[in-house]
Amino acid sequence: VLILINIVGAKQTGRMQIVIVALMLAAMAWFILFGAPGIEQARYGEFFGSGLGGLLGATGFVYVSYAGVTKIASIAEEIENPDRNIPLGILGSLAITTVIYVAIVAVMVGVAPAKDLTESAVPMAVAAEQVLAEPGVVAVVIAALLALISTANAGILSSSRYPFAMSRDDLAPDIFENVSDRFNTPVAAITITGGVL
């Protein structure tokens, strides 16, 4: 389905991303706003109890999600006013993501016992259950599924543009260079990279 959406056009792909991201932001905002009043300051007492090792370990897991900003540059050809919008997109997404991640972690640590968070494979669901009961857990699961779909959709869009550009520079087979007359998208590049993904 995501391959078909990408074939139909970058605008349709972008519209789908906007809807998905809006739903994910709503779920995260719900968690932050309803969780903040339930924060217990005492839970932050041992935040750096194990030194910087724990912080650096957690940073490694979070850092991977920031790699998504590079996808903005890979679709530069599809972006209107790229000189302005690419830097705004990259810097804006970094700033917004950082604020949201810090707020979510602050609420998670502040509302749930540390032992429950560290012993769980799904600490976000543990914290959501503390804050929002069963509906919160459902919202977290839905947001996680939407994040997976969003990542896959953006991955197909951005990764298909690499062989497309390479074929125009004679660095990849000519098939990747073909653009559909009907959809004005590189159908072969999207289909093949989407299939590989």
Side-chain angles (χ1 to χ4, degrees), residues 105 108-124 126-127:
V105 170
M108 285 176 66
V109 172
V111 300
K115 186 176 182 187
D116 292 352
L117 293 174
T118 58
E119 291 179 357
S120 174
V122 287
M124 185 67 196
V126 170

Side-chain angles (χ1 to χ4, degrees), residues 21-32:
V21 170
L23 291 171
M24 288 188 312
L25 287 173
M28 291 185 280
W30 184 35
F31 173 76
I32 294 166

